[in-house]
Amino acid sequence: MTQPVRGGMPVIFRLPDVLRTDNARTLPPLRLSLWHGIALGGFVLMTSIAAGGATGAAPPARVFVVLARWTPLLLRGFGFNILISFMAMGIGTVLGAFLGLGLISVSRAIREGAWALTQFFRNAPWLVLLFFMIYMLPFHVQFGGLRIIIPDWLKAVIGLALPVMANVAEVVRGGVQSIPPGQWEAAESLGFTRAQQLWEIILPQSIKRMIPPWMNLYAILTMATTLTAIVGVSEVVTLAGQVQAAEGNRTDLLAPLYGYVLLFFFFYSYPIASMTSRLERRYAVRI
Amino acid sequence: MSGGLNLVNLVKTTTLAYAIAVPELLYVSNQIWSDSINVPVMMVVLFIIYIALVGLLVFAMTSWERALRCPGLGT
């Protein structure tokens, strides 16, 4: 590369190609592909066969049989994971939308308050937030004579919704700020009020740019629902542990069993990941 | 900046070692609150420590990036 850059400065060293493209900063470092799923399936298959073949005199049940026997239970547990992720995402999105609007508020006090809240919940580890909610929320609430017991999984949903809220707030702020300032200025010059500018001009344009990172966040949240196993919610990882115990703690079952659970998650998040990257390409900011 | 973000996530992910009984901060805190029944205090302590850790990391990364910045290269 010998031609001078704009401004006549000579080029001192050449950048790697990947950094010279316009969208270098938005390049996804690693995407989930179908190959990951095939590799995972192969792993489960191989460990299952190896486990089945290595048994001694009185052969215990083949690993495939064991997996097939417990699949309905594991799927029910996985459904619970999905339910938790839906609820946490719903609550987190509603709260995060308001928090994100607070982040771009014209009032300095609201802006800084929202910023502090966002930073706090974004930088605290998810597991610590989960522990906090499990231990600090009351065991039951009293409405007059009515006593409602809060189940563990509901506390876990709240614990997961808080970091989701902070991340959604950042997504909203990023989406709004990705709209060129000319849009704001044009709306201003046409006599729209601040609320009209935001709701009728900026937000409709930025919503579609918020969708890919929002879906990304959802995939992350789905992975994070397994954390609730640690605080005692009986979801798929807890059930996998119980299956392992019910089968007499066979060590040859460990790899296929947890690989099998991993496959559930792959088949759930792979469509989300591929749709996210498709939407990202379609809504890419072109300048 | 993205390298800093990954490091922040890495620091946050170290809590997962709790699940396999590695005696890290969360695990030790759990032992403490089981022993002296002071869950609220330990929760606040945990939050303060993690926020301070992440804050320190972000501060270090930002100042490092500022020191490495080459005018005209990137944005």
Side-chain angles (χ1 to χ4, degrees):
Chain A
M1 192 163 121
T2 48
Q3 81 268 34
V5 288
R6 220 176 299 151
M9 288 269 289
V11 170
I12 305 167
F13 60 93
R14 106 181 243 167
L15 283 173
D17 284 341
V18 69
L19 284 181
R20 280 192 293 157
T21 54
D22 286 337
N23 57 352
R25 291 193 165 264
T26 59
L27 273 181
L30 183 66
R31 279 273 176 219
L32 210 56
S33 76
L34 207 50
W35 286 109
H36 295 106
I38 293 170
L40 202 57
F43 171 77
V44 174
L45 215 62
M46 266 170 51
T47 48
S48 304
I49 292 167
T55 47
R62 297 289 300 234
V63 171
F64 293 117
V65 179
V66 172
L67 289 185
R69 190 191 304 152
W70 294 107
T71 296
L73 181 75
L74 289 176
L75 276 179
R76 216 175 311 144
F78 186 62
F80 196 34
N81 279 55
I82 304 302
L83 178 73
I84 290 176
S85 74
F86 273 3
M87 291 183 67
M89 198 66 190
I91 299 173
T93 304
V94 172
L95 295 178
F98 284 109
L99 194 59
L101 291 179
L103 280 176
I104 52 169
S105 162
V106 277
S107 146
R108 195 189 155 133
I110 295 180
R111 210 168 49 228
E112 289 186 346
W115 179 83
L117 208 61
T118 309
Q119 292 304 316
F120 180 78
F121 285 117
R122 241 166 67 91
N123 289 329
W126 292 51
L127 189 55
V128 175
L129 280 169
L130 215 51
F131 264 96
F132 187 87
M133 286 302 147
I134 292 285
Y135 281 108
M136 302 300 269
L137 284 179
F139 169 65
H140 59 81
V141 280
Q142 197 98 31
F143 282 121
L146 187 68
R147 212 180 68 149
I148 299 171
I149 292 176
I150 306 178
D152 262 2
W153 63 271
L154 200 59
K155 295 184 197 173
V157 164
I158 299 170
L160 288 174
L162 289 173
V164 169
M165 169 189 79
N167 282 288
V168 167
E170 286 283 284
V171 168
V172 169
R173 187 189 58 84
V176 168
Q177 285 186 345
S178 77
I179 301 297
Q183 295 286 328
W184 285 101
E185 289 159 10
E188 178 84 43
S189 68
L190 288 172
F192 286 97
T193 64
R194 162 92 190 174
Q196 281 175 325
Q197 291 171 18
L198 192 62
W199 286 99
E200 291 171 25
I201 288 143
I202 302 300
L203 281 181
Q205 296 186 73
S206 49
I207 285 275
K208 62 177 185 182
R209 287 184 187 169
M210 296 175 195
I211 288 173
W214 182 81
M215 282 164 61
N216 230 339
L217 182 63
Y218 177 67
I220 293 172
L221 171 66
T222 310
M223 305 296 135
T225 53
T226 53
L227 291 182
T228 57
I230 300 172
V231 291
V233 178
S234 105
E235 45 75 76
V236 69
V237 176
T238 317
L239 291 178
Q242 287 170 0
V243 166
Q244 161 81 3
E247 290 295 330
N249 281 322
R250 286 166 58 183
T251 45
D252 60 343
L253 200 60
L254 270 176
L257 185 60
Y258 283 97
Y260 192 52
V261 173
L262 215 50
L263 264 180
F264 287 178
F265 278 96
F266 175 81
F267 281 118
Y268 189 68
S269 4
Y270 174 62
I272 298 177
S274 61
M275 204 193 292
T276 305
S277 56
R278 212 173 322 141
L279 285 178
E280 250 171 24
R281 268 199 303 279
R282 192 198 295 175
Y283 297 147
V285 183
R286 280 179 287 271
I287 304 167
Chain B
M1 202 56 219
S2 68
L5 201 65
N6 280 341
L7 280 180
V8 169
N9 274 332
L10 188 59
V11 170
K12 286 158 61 183
T13 313
T14 55
T15 49
L16 285 193
Y18 173 91
I20 49 170
V22 175
E24 42 74 72
L25 185 59
L26 187 55
Y27 194 85
V28 175
S29 307
N30 195 343
Q31 287 177 326
I32 294 175
W33 78 55
S34 309
D35 199 45
S36 38
I37 329 208
N38 57 347
V39 181
V41 180
M42 286 317 293
M43 282 297 171
V44 175
V45 168
L46 265 179
F47 273 128
I48 291 175
I49 293 177
Y50 275 109
I51 295 289
L53 265 181
V54 170
L56 208 66
L57 182 66
V58 169
F59 174 75
M61 290 300 291
T62 341
S63 35
W64 190 32
E65 263 169 28
R66 203 168 297 144
L68 285 181
R69 195 173 59 199
C70 179
L73 186 63
T75 44

